């Protein structure tokens, strides 16, 4: 085997492209060992394969060409270790973000499936709902006194609050609102709390709390404007069956399909109250 190769031969021998070798030459991390002054052909030594292998390996570790050049120019083993430690930290952060994204995808798939299999609007059911964790925000106004435009304003404030507290925006989906048990039983649509669901391993904090698991009376609807009416139906149902409401009323946005309507928010809601059976 000959020890000197033209750039095309070097590329084919090492399974890289000619433009890649030209780029490495341009940035100064792998320069041909000889250039014919008459033909301007560039030749690589087979011994340069070791340097090329190292460059390719460093790229697989996630290093940029700039970082690779800095390491190769310095020849400092400490710099190599420091760069690798930094890359390890970066990869760990990326894995964490991917896990969050995967959970968000799972939640969205579950939402779509629940929408497909949900009861029709107006149907009341008794369901077991598992324990949940929420991140909530207090609002200065009672959004039930206004139309959906105020709800959109409060959603915007919630999003800003999430950003301000460095909460991943992947949680900004399927928001919900809470009405105290006392207000629900008195038919007072007064609420100053809006929330988003978060994962079980979400860090505890002043704005994070759990909603207990249990049996819930639920009613479904798809119009924000009809929530008060449907909440009244839910209360009447509980009274008719002598069910004791033992906790706060929750309006949960099960699914949003705003891709179908650009003019307004399309929501499918589940109104729910926890029950204690006498």
């Amino acid at each position: 085997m000959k020890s000197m190769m033209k750039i095309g031969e070097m590329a084919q021998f090492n399974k890289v492209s000619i433009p890649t070798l030209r780029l490495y030459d341009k940035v100064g991390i792998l320069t041909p060992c000889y250039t014919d002054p008459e033909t301007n052909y560039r030749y690589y030594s087979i011994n340069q394969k070791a340097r090329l292998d190292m460059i390719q390996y460093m790229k697989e570790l996630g290093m940029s060409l700039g970082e690779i050049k800095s390491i190769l120019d310095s020849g400092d083993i400490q710099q190599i270790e420091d760069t690798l430690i930094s890359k390890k930290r970066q990869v760990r952060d990326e894995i964490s973000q991917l896990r969050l994204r995967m959970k968000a995808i799972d939640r969205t798939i579950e939402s779509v499936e629940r929408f497909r299999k949900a009861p029709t609007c107006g149907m009341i059911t008794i369901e077991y709902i598992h324990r949940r964790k929420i991140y909530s925000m207090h609002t200065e106004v009672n959004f039930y006194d206004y139309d959906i435009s105020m709800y959109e304003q409060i959603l915007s404030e919630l999003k800003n609050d999430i950003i301000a507290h460095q909460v991943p925006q992947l949680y900004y989906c399927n928001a919900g609102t809470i009405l105290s048990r006392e207000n629900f039983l008195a038919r007072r649509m007064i609420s100053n709390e809006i929330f988003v669901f978060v994962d079980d391993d979400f860090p505890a904090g002043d704005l994070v709390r759990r909603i207990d698991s249990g049996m819930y009376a639920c009613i479904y609807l798809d119009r924000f404007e009809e929530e008060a009416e449907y909440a009244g139906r839910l209360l009447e149902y509980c009274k008719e069956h002598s069910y004791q409401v033992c906790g706060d009323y929750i309006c949960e946005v099960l699914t949003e399909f705003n891709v179908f309507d650009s003019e307004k928010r399309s929501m499918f809601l589940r109104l729910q109250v926890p029950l204690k059976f006498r």
Side-chain angles (χ1 to χ4, degrees), residues 59-222:
K59 283 185 62 182
E60 290 296 320
L61 294 177
M63 296 185 190
S64 67
L65 293 184
E67 290 172 325
I68 294 173
K69 177 174 173 53
S70 178
I71 289 173
L72 295 179
D73 287 348
S74 69
D76 184 356
I77 192 67
Q78 183 62 52
Q79 183 176 350
I80 295 176
E81 183 178 1
D82 291 344
T83 302
L84 289 173
I85 291 173
S86 176
K87 286 299 169 186
K88 182 178 180 180
R89 188 180 305 115
Q90 178 182 333
V91 169
R92 186 184 296 116
D93 291 342
E94 291 173 354
I95 290 173
S96 178
Q97 289 298 316
L98 287 173
R99 284 174 176 164
L100 280 175
R101 188 175 300 173
M102 180 64 75
K103 290 179 180 179
I105 291 172
D106 286 340
R107 288 195 300 272
T108 305
I109 292 173
E110 182 180 358
S111 293
V112 173
E113 185 176 13
R114 283 193 299 179
F115 173 76
R116 288 192 298 103
K117 298 180 179 180
T120 57
C121 291
M123 181 178 290
I124 297 177
T125 62
I126 303 296
E127 304 176 21
Y128 174 80
I129 301 179
H130 61 77
R131 185 176 64 176
R132 295 162 288 178
K133 184 183 283 189
I134 62 171
Y135 174 94
S136 65
M137 183 192 77
H138 177 80
T139 67
E140 296 299 328
V141 301
N142 173 29
F143 38 82
Y144 289 116
D145 288 339
Y146 304 86
D147 62 15
I148 196 169
S149 297
M150 177 57 71
Y151 179 71
E152 292 291 349
Q153 176 64 36
I154 292 173
L155 279 179
S156 178
E157 294 175 6
L158 174 62
K159 186 174 186 178
N160 291 336
D161 183 79
I162 285 174
I163 294 172
H165 286 89
Q166 298 182 330
V167 175
Q169 292 190 54
L170 284 170
Y171 291 119
Y172 181 68
C173 181
N174 296 15
T177 56
I178 294 179
L179 195 73
S180 71
R181 173 179 177 273
E182 292 74 18
N183 281 335
F184 174 71
L185 294 177
R187 298 179 182 270
R188 293 190 297 262
M189 297 302 290
I190 301 174
S191 176
N192 298 95
E193 186 175 5
I194 189 168
F195 69 86
V196 290
F197 291 106
V198 294
D199 297 318
D200 284 341
D201 56 359
F202 189 87
D206 295 339
L207 302 177
V208 178
R209 63 187 176 93
R210 288 195 178 276
I211 299 175
D212 288 338
S213 62
M215 301 303 296
Y216 285 74
C218 305
I219 188 171
Y220 294 79
L221 68 153
D222 59 6

